[in-house]
């Protein structure tokens, strides 16, 4: 129903008139937007738990999670052999590297170029069907824009047009422009294949290339991010949280992964090196030997030094976390005040009434009377590291991007996206978190924690608010109530110092049992204002153990887990290399991927990521832009433009003539 101008404030219409200064301008906008509503919904791609595996991530982006291969099969299965189709796919994924290799192997380079250009144009035409011509024009490289547009919208079969089209192809080849145009068309296919990317958390840690992944994402055309616990840890470190900084460095040292820290963000560990060479020089720190391949690039001396740094940072972390827990009693984490539970003279710790001998009793920086107090040397190390984190230009750019494009959860097109869990009790009720006499649960708790995380980074003019927010980011990393963590404890201390494996167990929140129940999934969807009959929950965080027969599809199809082991560290557990979800105008498809070997093998041996795709939901009718959240916003724009049009016609506003 069209709104009368008086239903929309005149002040707003005056602002709108700045952009649409005439009846003609407003009418044209209404025509274009109305047409857009009738286009098919674009393809969207959901990825989770990338964990620094930048090569595999880049390849999945290049192949559109297998969607480009499916288009090639659809278009050329009757006219090209499978090796030829595989060759074309690799060319599209890596055009700059693959084209010169191909030109060396063909008998007639010009003829190969003509055929390849025609095939690429065919694929582009197929993919542009979901886009307005103006949108496609914005994707084109400036120097080839006119040429590509002519090729894409040529009317084959119309008299003279076919000869015109062929002449264009011939001229491109004869002028030596074919290789550049092949690259431009291949990149356009990659761009058109996926309209929007959703990252369901955990870009950081484990693998070496989180900074490279974020470089890619900052340049990506349309992306949103639901923060994971590893992301929020780095975000807290960038904000200046000492507890988060200690965790980041300890984690990097534990896995011998210094690439992101040192080369990606230029954070120097020299202050820590100097400290350990003085304080831990005679301690072999065997329990802290980093998890690096034996045939890796580290010498025995480097591994020993990393072990010493690892132990030093672990002790600093335990101290800082103890201080934080005491500073925030409402976190209800007193059970994690582990330094207070150690008998240093006897070398034992008492947990839940049981004494456990410590595997390492050398604590040169701990004062038993004040076990969580940093020494002067430890404080100096932390001061210098904090400066490195807060002054790293690249890290700050990436974290600001995570804040601008990210959140704890996203409601999108009737679906709910979040990384970890919604904290629940055994009976399926949302677990409440009490603070200042108020209880927060379900959606309200996530909204509060999202706001506090932003406060921890941006409240630079209020130190008390900023500290509260930074502590909240650490809470999101490892607290039992955290929707990003979802376990009763992070047993870091126990895994280092206690032999009894029963103490290492990290019991999950009841959510992880209840997520198999359709009733629980429907309850969560309703909590976030979604239709339980049509909505889906999409999350990651806990790898799906395919080896053990676990399915990523839960709650009778209402909940989909897409963490299948993107990270190499998890692939022995999961048996695959991750799931990705594809949403197109027809429905939802789940792709299970096999491990990615390397970019080099992808280019030279044409090793793609083998994927099995399963249709998990089909829409009752083809979904159009008008059926999406974006469509709802466009309809609102159209209503406002109609109101503007009426305001012009009823004399409430004057048209502005072009100067």
């Amino acid at each position: 129903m069209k709104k009368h101008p008086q239903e929309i404030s005149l002040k707003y219409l005056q602002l709108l008139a700045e952009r649409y200064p005439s009846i003609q301008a407003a009418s044209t906008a209404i025509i274009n937007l109305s047409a857009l509503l009738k286009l098919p919904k674009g393809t969207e791609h959901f990825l989770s738990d990338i964990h620094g595996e930048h090569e595999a991530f880049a390849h999945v982006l290049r192949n559109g999670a297998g969607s480009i291969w499916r288009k090639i099969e659809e278009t050329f299965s009757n006219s090209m052999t499978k090796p030829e189709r595989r060759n074309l796919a690799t060319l599209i994924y890596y055009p700059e590297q693959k084209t010169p290799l191909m030109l060396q192997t063909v008998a007639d380079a010009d003829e190969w170029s003509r055929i390849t250009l025609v095939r690429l144009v065919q694929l582009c035409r197929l993919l542009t069907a979901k886009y307005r011509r103006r949108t496609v024009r914005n994707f084109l490289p400036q120097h080839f824009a006119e040429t590509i547009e002519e090729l894409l919208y040529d009317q084959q079969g119309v008299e003279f047009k076919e000869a015109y089209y062929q002449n264009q192809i011939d001229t491109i080849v004869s002028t030596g422009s074919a290789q550049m145009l092949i690259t431009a068309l291949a990149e356009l296919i990659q761009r058109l294949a996926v309209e929007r990317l959703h990252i369901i958390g955990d870009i950081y840690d484990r693998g070496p290339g989180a900074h490279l992944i974020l470089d890619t994402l900052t340049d990506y055309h349309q992306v949103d991010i639901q923060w994971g616990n590893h992301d929020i840890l780095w975000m807290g470190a960038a904000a200046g949280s000492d507890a988060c900084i200690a965790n980041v460095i300890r984690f990097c040292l534990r896995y011998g992964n210094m690439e992101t820290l040192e080369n990606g963000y230029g954070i120097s560990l020299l202050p820590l090196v100097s400290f350990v060479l003085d304080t831990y020089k005679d301690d072999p720190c065997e329990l802290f030997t980093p998890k690096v391949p034996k045939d890796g690039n580290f010498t025995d001396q480097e591994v020993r030094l990393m072990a010493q740094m690892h132990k030093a940072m672990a002790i600093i972390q335990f101290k800082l976390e103890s201080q934080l827990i005491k500073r925030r009693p409402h976190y209800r984490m007193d059970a994690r005040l582990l330094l207070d539970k150690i008998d240093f003279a006897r070398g034992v710790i008492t947990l839940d009434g049981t004494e456990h001998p410590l595997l390492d009793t050398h604590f040169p920086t701990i004062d038993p009377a004040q076990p969580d107090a940093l020494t002067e040397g430890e404080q100096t190390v932390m001061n210098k590291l904090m400066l490195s984190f807060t002054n790293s230009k690249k890290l700050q750019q990436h974290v600001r991007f995570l804040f601008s494009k990210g959140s704890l959860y996203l409601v999108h097109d009737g679906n709910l996206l979040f990384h970890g869990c919604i904290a629940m009790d055994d009976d399926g009720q949302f677990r409440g978190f009490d603070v200042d006499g108020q209880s927060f649960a379900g959606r309200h708790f996530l909204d509060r924690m999202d706001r506090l995380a932003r406060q921890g980074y941006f409240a630079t003019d209020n130190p008390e608010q900023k500290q509260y927010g930074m502590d909240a980011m650490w809470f999101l990393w490892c607290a039992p109530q955290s929707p990003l963590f979802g376990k009763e404890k992070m047993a870091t201390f126990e895994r280092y110092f206690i032999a009894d494996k029963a103490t290492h167990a990290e019991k999950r929140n009841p959510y992880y049992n209840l997520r198999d129940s359709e009733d629980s999934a429907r309850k969560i969807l309703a909590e976030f204002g979604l239709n339980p009959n049509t909505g889906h929950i999409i999350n990651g965080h806990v790898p799906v153990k395919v080896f053990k027969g676990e399915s990523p599809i839960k709650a009778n199809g209402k909940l989909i887990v897409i963490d299948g082991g993107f990270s190499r560290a998890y692939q022995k557990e999961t048996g695959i290399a991750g799931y990705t979800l594809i949403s197109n105008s027809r429905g939802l498809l789940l792709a299970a991927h096999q491990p990615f070997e390397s970019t080099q093998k992808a280019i030279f041996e044409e090793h793609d990521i083998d994927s099995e795709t399963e249709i998990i939901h089909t829409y009752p009718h083809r979904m159009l832009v008008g059926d999406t959240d974006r469509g709802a916003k466009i309809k609102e724009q159209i209503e406002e433009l109609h109101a503007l049009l009426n305001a012009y016609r009823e004399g409430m506003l004057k048209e502005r003539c072009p100067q």
Side-chain angles (χ1 to χ4, degrees):
M1 186 178 174
K2 296 174 186 176
K3 291 184 178 179
H4 191 273
Q6 291 175 352
E7 295 179 64
I8 298 175
S9 80
L10 190 59
K11 188 173 183 180
Y12 176 76
L13 292 177
Q14 287 170 339
L15 289 171
L16 197 60
E18 293 293 320
R19 185 171 180 184
Y20 305 100
S22 66
I23 289 173
Q24 183 179 344
S27 299
T28 301
I30 291 169
I31 293 165
N32 291 337
L33 290 171
S34 297
L36 182 56
L37 294 173
K38 298 302 179 182
L39 284 176
K41 181 188 91 69
T43 298
E44 299 178 52
H45 192 186
F46 302 74
L47 292 88
S48 168
D49 297 85
I50 304 159
H51 284 300
E53 298 290 350
H54 66 282
E55 279 200 352
F57 169 76
H59 187 79
V60 168
L61 285 196
R62 287 173 183 272
N63 77 0
S67 61
I68 291 175
W69 173 250
R70 286 192 295 276
K71 290 294 182 188
I72 290 171
E73 289 282 83
E74 201 178 293
T75 311
F76 301 114
S77 58
N78 295 325
S79 58
M80 297 173 70
T81 65
K82 186 164 185 178
E84 288 174 332
R85 297 197 300 273
R86 182 63 71 190
N87 183 270
L88 179 62
T90 307
L91 180 74
I92 291 169
Y93 307 156
Y94 301 97
E96 290 182 331
Q97 299 94 326
K98 190 67 178 177
T99 306
L101 294 176
M102 288 303 304
L103 288 170
Q104 292 171 17
T105 64
V106 296
D108 186 337
D110 286 355
E111 183 61 18
W112 177 87
S113 297
R114 287 189 193 93
I115 293 169
T116 301
L117 284 167
V118 169
R119 287 169 175 167
L120 293 175
V121 169
Q122 263 186 279
L123 284 172
C124 282
R125 285 177 176 172
L126 189 65
L127 290 165
T128 54
K130 289 186 178 182
Y131 296 89
R132 291 170 61 195
R133 185 178 292 199
R134 177 181 173 182
T135 304
V136 174
R137 189 179 297 132
N138 290 335
F139 300 158
L140 302 178
Q142 190 173 358
H143 53 291
F144 276 131
E146 188 176 348
T147 302
I148 293 175
E149 195 167 2
E150 286 291 309
L151 291 170
L152 290 181
Y153 300 107
D154 169 65
Q155 299 171 43
Q156 283 183 296
V158 176
E159 191 179 1
F160 305 121
K161 272 291 186 177
E162 204 157 328
Y164 172 73
Y165 170 76
Q166 190 57 54
N167 181 261
Q168 275 188 304
I169 297 289
D170 291 341
T171 306
I172 289 163
V173 173
S174 66
T175 57
S177 304
Q179 193 167 335
M180 288 187 291
L181 193 63
I182 285 169
T183 297
L185 288 169
E187 290 174 350
L188 179 61
I189 289 167
Q190 291 180 34
R191 170 62 185 80
L192 294 169
V194 176
E195 185 178 274
R196 181 167 179 168
L197 187 62
H198 306 275
I199 305 294
I200 321 289
D202 277 359
I203 296 164
Y204 282 96
D205 292 329
R206 297 286 189 181
H211 56 294
L212 300 175
I213 292 167
L214 277 156
D215 280 341
T216 301
L217 290 176
T218 53
D219 290 334
Y220 201 77
H221 45 274
Q222 194 173 182
V223 63
D224 57 72
I225 299 164
Q226 291 71 61
W227 307 322
N229 55 323
H230 288 271
D231 304 322
I232 205 72
L233 182 66
W234 280 80
M235 292 159 71
S241 163
D242 51 9
C244 290
I245 289 170
N247 270 280
V248 163
I249 294 173
R250 178 194 62 79
F251 206 93
C252 289
L253 289 164
R254 180 174 176 81
Y255 294 97
N257 177 17
M258 315 308 292
E259 180 68 22
T260 298
L261 198 66
E262 295 185 324
N263 297 335
Y265 294 134
I267 292 168
S268 172
L269 296 183
L270 278 177
L272 181 58
V273 172
S274 301
F275 173 74
V276 301
L277 289 176
D278 180 48
T279 309
Y280 290 90
K281 61 183 176 182
D282 298 323
D283 186 348
C285 302
E286 291 175 354
L287 295 177
F288 293 85
T289 301
K291 296 178 182 291
V292 295
K294 291 182 180 178
D295 57 349
N297 298 321
F298 298 108
T299 66
D300 291 344
Q301 187 177 353
E302 287 170 332
V303 170
R304 177 187 168 95
L305 178 60
M306 279 197 293
Q308 292 168 329
M309 295 164 69
H310 184 189
K311 180 177 179 179
M313 190 49 63
I315 298 302
I316 291 172
Q317 174 191 317
F318 299 141
K319 289 182 176 185
L320 293 170
E321 290 180 334
S322 178
Q323 293 173 20
L324 194 158
I325 292 166
K326 290 175 181 177
R327 185 164 66 240
R328 307 296 177 202
H330 63 286
Y331 287 0
R332 294 175 290 179
M333 293 179 66
D334 286 358
R336 302 307 297 162
L337 295 172
L338 301 179
L339 298 181
D340 294 356
K341 297 173 174 57
I342 297 175
D343 183 332
F344 290 94
R346 295 173 53 229
V348 298
I349 185 169
T350 303
L351 298 177
D352 299 323
T354 302
E355 267 192 6
H356 301 275
L358 296 175
L359 296 173
D360 184 344
T361 58
H362 182 60
F363 301 113
T365 67
I366 294 182
D367 176 1
Q370 292 180 295
D372 57 12
L374 295 184
T375 65
E376 185 178 344
E378 288 173 326
Q379 188 62 61
T380 299
V381 168
M382 288 308 301
N383 290 344
K384 290 180 178 178
L385 288 172
M386 190 180 296
L387 281 174
S388 285
F389 273 85
T390 55
N391 289 327
S392 169
K393 185 177 178 181
K394 175 69 79 173
L395 176 60
Q396 296 301 324
Q397 285 174 345
H398 284 171
V399 168
R400 283 183 174 269
F401 172 77
L402 287 169
F403 275 112
S404 68
K405 296 292 184 180
S407 54
L408 278 178
Y409 71 90
L410 178 68
V411 171
H412 176 74
D413 285 348
N415 298 315
L416 175 61
L417 287 57
F418 58 86
H419 175 70
C421 71
I422 306 298
M424 303 178 86
D425 292 322
D426 289 321
D427 61 0
Q429 299 302 310
F430 297 122
R431 184 174 291 180
F433 182 84
D434 299 324
V435 55
D436 298 332
Q438 192 173 358
S439 183
F440 298 88
R443 181 176 188 169
H444 297 296
F445 182 58
L446 268 67
D447 287 338
R448 174 176 173 79
M449 295 309 297
D450 189 295
R451 181 180 65 79
L452 288 177
R454 296 177 195 280
Q455 175 180 303
Y457 188 81
F458 292 104
T460 52
D461 58 343
N462 189 322
E464 187 177 334
Q465 277 191 356
K466 182 173 172 63
Q467 186 65 59
Y468 197 95
M470 289 193 298
D471 290 352
M473 284 195 265
W474 174 85
F475 175 97
L476 285 167
W477 157 244
C478 65
Q481 188 92 350
S482 167
L484 302 183
F485 180 54
K487 298 177 184 177
E488 66 175 4
K489 67 180 181 183
M490 188 174 285
T492 307
F493 182 95
E494 291 89 335
R495 291 174 188 271
Y496 285 133
F497 290 105
I498 301 175
D500 183 358
K501 291 190 181 295
T503 66
H504 302 179
E506 298 176 341
K507 183 182 176 184
R508 293 181 187 173
N509 185 272
Y511 168 87
Y512 290 101
N513 293 323
L514 294 165
R515 68 180 180 172
D516 290 321
S517 158
E518 184 178 349
D519 286 344
S520 295
R522 293 173 73 90
K523 181 175 182 176
I524 291 169
L525 287 166
E527 168 71 7
F528 286 81
L530 296 170
N531 184 343
N533 295 322
T534 56
H536 298 85
I537 296 168
I538 304 163
N539 70 291
H541 187 50
V542 177
V544 179
K545 295 179 180 177
V546 179
F547 268 158
K548 296 184 178 180
E550 185 181 358
S551 170
I553 304 168
K554 302 180 184 297
N556 198 23
K558 287 286 166 197
L559 191 149
I560 305 152
V561 182
I562 59 170
D563 180 6
F566 216 111
S567 168
R568 294 175 192 269
Y570 295 123
Q571 287 169 13
K572 287 182 181 178
E573 279 185 63
T574 61
I576 61 168
Y579 288 104
T580 58
L581 187 70
I582 300 115
S583 168
N584 59 29
S585 60
R586 304 290 187 186
L588 296 175
L589 297 86
L590 187 68
H593 305 292
Q594 293 305 308
F596 179 70
E597 295 188 58
S598 70
T599 301
Q600 186 174 6
K601 285 200 171 186
I603 296 168
F604 289 93
E605 299 177 31
E606 300 185 351
H607 283 204
D608 200 354
I609 295 180
D610 289 328
S611 307
E612 291 184 11
T613 304
E614 176 184 0
I615 298 171
I616 60 174
H617 179 73
T618 303
Y619 300 130
H621 57 82
R622 191 172 195 187
M623 187 174 281
L624 305 178
V625 171
D627 301 318
T628 66
D629 291 347
R630 180 187 173 205
K633 291 178 182 176
I634 291 171
K635 289 172 186 175
E636 198 173 311
Q637 282 180 272
I638 291 171
E639 279 194 3
E640 291 164 353
L641 285 164
H642 272 295
L644 177 63
L645 204 57
N646 289 336
Y648 283 135
R649 286 171 173 162
E650 293 177 13
M652 295 170 63
L653 290 175
K654 290 191 295 183
E655 287 187 289
R656 285 189 295 111
C657 296
Q659 298 296 318

